[in-house]
Amino acid sequence: MLNQDLLSTAPVASRTPRASLLLVTLVAALGLSACGQKESKPGQSLASVDGTEITVLQLNEELQRAGVSNAQKDAASKQLLAQLVDRQLLVNQATKDKLDRDPKVLAALERSKAMILAEAYLQKQISTPTRPSKEEVAAYYEKNPQFFANRKVLEMRQLVLATQDLSDEVKAYIDGAKNLDDVANWLEQHQVKFARGQANRTTADLPVELSSKLISMPKGQLFIVREGERSLLISIADIKEAPVTLEQSAAQIEQFLANQKSKQKADAELVRLRAAAKIDYLNGATAPAKPAEAKPAASAEAAASGTDAAARGVAGLK
């Protein structure tokens, strides 16, 4: 029997087009030029683009952002310097076209500036991360056996078809089908396009509730996963034990807990700033709920074990 719509997911966001990336680069560069040109010292200039100098400091900033190793520094420096020249060419032309006065560009610059300043402040507040103890790491490991000690690998076979082709007739046949091959043959006979596939997922990759349901299913059980414009008809071919020891996962758990503590510090700082500030919302329709009206926060235990996406990332060991 078919277990329909066990999981529905939103469509995957489309990737940013190259033109949009170019616009982001241009906006960021205009922000730098809007701050005014810094005086360059002798020996610091690497290039001049229509009189505007590109300095060693700018190149070093690009190298740092790109995470370039010392072994790759020479080759990367040439490539990044060429990119800085291209960027300056765009900035110069944008300035000539008075884009630096365009209201949309100015708004984007202000937004970028605000985000950079806000992030810089938070980074300053949590610059020294609190390292979790060995006891905390071990406790997290013990509290989440589905991610570690009891981790399992689900070997799945699937048929991928357009969601619009998942008609009532198709679903009715799937509901009575014995296996995935029968469905594939029926789809071919009725000229419904599909593609075969297979995937392995661990219980660390999936939400706890979903992985529990899948493990309890008999092998060969068919179920549908909707992913926006496409749908997957899946059956579980096999389930294998794949435990991860504390020693294998300690580093990932430590990093996860450190990130969690940093987030807690950032949240606490925002609470402190809100309490100290005078905030007036001038439009009642857009004002957020008051703290007393907000939904109760999750318990500490739920926060530790229920942050599924982050926690599964910790346990996603191959």
Side-chain angles (χ1 to χ4, degrees):
M1 295 294 291
L2 172 66
N3 188 340
Q4 293 188 19
D5 301 331
L6 185 62
L7 172 68
S8 296
T9 57
V12 178
S14 59
R15 296 182 179 178
T16 305
R18 182 178 180 85
S20 297
L21 289 174
L22 189 62
L23 179 59
V24 171
T25 300
L26 177 59
V27 169
L30 281 170
L32 295 176
S33 65
C35 297
Q37 298 293 335
K38 295 182 178 179
E39 293 184 5
S40 61
K41 297 180 181 178
Q44 282 193 331
S45 296
L46 297 175
S48 175
V49 182
D50 292 332
T52 301
E53 294 183 346
I54 297 174
T55 68
V56 172
L57 292 177
Q58 288 175 278
L59 179 59
N60 288 341
E61 174 70 13
E62 296 298 321
L63 288 168
Q64 183 178 357
R65 286 180 177 274
V68 176
S69 65
N70 289 332
Q72 300 173 320
K73 187 173 181 179
D74 290 342
S77 293
K78 294 179 181 179
Q79 182 179 359
L80 290 173
L81 180 57
Q83 292 177 6
L84 283 170
V85 169
D86 289 344
R87 182 189 302 174
Q88 192 60 53
L89 287 169
L90 290 171
V91 171
N92 290 353
Q93 190 59 48
T95 304
K96 289 180 182 178
D97 292 348
K98 298 182 180 180
L99 286 177
D100 55 338
R101 303 179 190 178
D102 185 287
K104 291 183 179 179
V105 174
L106 290 173
L109 291 173
E110 285 300 316
R111 180 178 182 275
S112 297
K113 178 181 177 181
M115 292 179 66
I116 291 170
L117 285 173
E119 183 178 353
Y121 177 77
L122 284 180
Q123 287 297 326
K124 179 182 177 182
Q125 298 302 308
I126 60 175
S127 57
T128 306
T130 304
R131 184 174 181 177
S133 66
K134 291 183 178 180
E135 291 75 17
E136 288 176 305
V137 172
Y140 186 87
Y141 178 90
E142 294 295 334
K143 287 181 179 179
N144 296 278
Q146 72 276 15
F147 299 149
F148 307 107
N150 296 342
R151 192 180 74 149
K152 294 177 175 60
V153 173
L154 291 78
E155 296 181 357
M156 298 181 287
R157 297 174 59 210
Q158 60 190 30
L159 302 179
V160 184
L161 63 157
T163 298
Q164 64 181 10
D165 292 336
L166 199 61
S167 63
D168 291 340
E169 181 184 8
V170 172
K171 287 188 286 187
Y173 181 82
I174 293 173
D175 191 38
K178 294 181 179 179
N179 55 56
L180 209 62
D181 290 332
D182 285 349
V183 176
N185 291 334
W186 189 89
L187 292 176
E188 287 178 347
Q189 293 171 7
H190 290 76
Q191 299 182 343
V192 178
K193 294 182 179 180
F194 68 93
R196 291 181 182 267
Q198 59 184 26
N200 292 343
R201 294 289 183 269
T202 73
T203 50
D205 301 326
L206 302 168
V208 176
E209 183 179 352
L210 176 60
S211 63
S212 298
K213 288 182 179 180
L214 295 181
I215 290 172
S216 65
M217 282 183 181
K219 293 179 182 179
Q221 169 76 57
L222 301 179
F223 63 94
I224 293 174
V225 174
R226 297 177 184 272
E227 293 185 344
E229 295 182 356
R230 73 171 191 168
S231 290
L232 285 69
L233 178 62
I234 301 174
S235 70
I236 298 175
D238 200 4
I239 300 176
K240 297 180 179 179
E241 299 292 332
V244 179
T245 67
L246 175 58
E247 290 71 22
Q248 289 174 309
S249 53
Q252 288 88 345
I253 295 175
E254 182 176 313
Q255 184 61 55
F256 168 70
L257 293 177
N259 292 343
Q260 191 177 67
K261 291 188 176 189
S262 293
K263 183 180 184 304
Q264 290 170 351
K265 288 174 65 176
D267 290 344
E269 178 61 12
L270 279 172
V271 170
R272 186 191 71 80
L273 291 173
R274 288 193 195 102
K278 184 179 183 298
I279 304 174
D280 295 320
Y281 292 102
L282 306 181
N283 186 332
T286 59
K290 296 180 181 178
E293 299 172 353
K295 295 182 179 179
S299 65
E301 183 178 351
S305 61
T307 313
D308 277 342
R312 293 196 301 276
V314 172
L317 304 174
K318 303 297 182 185

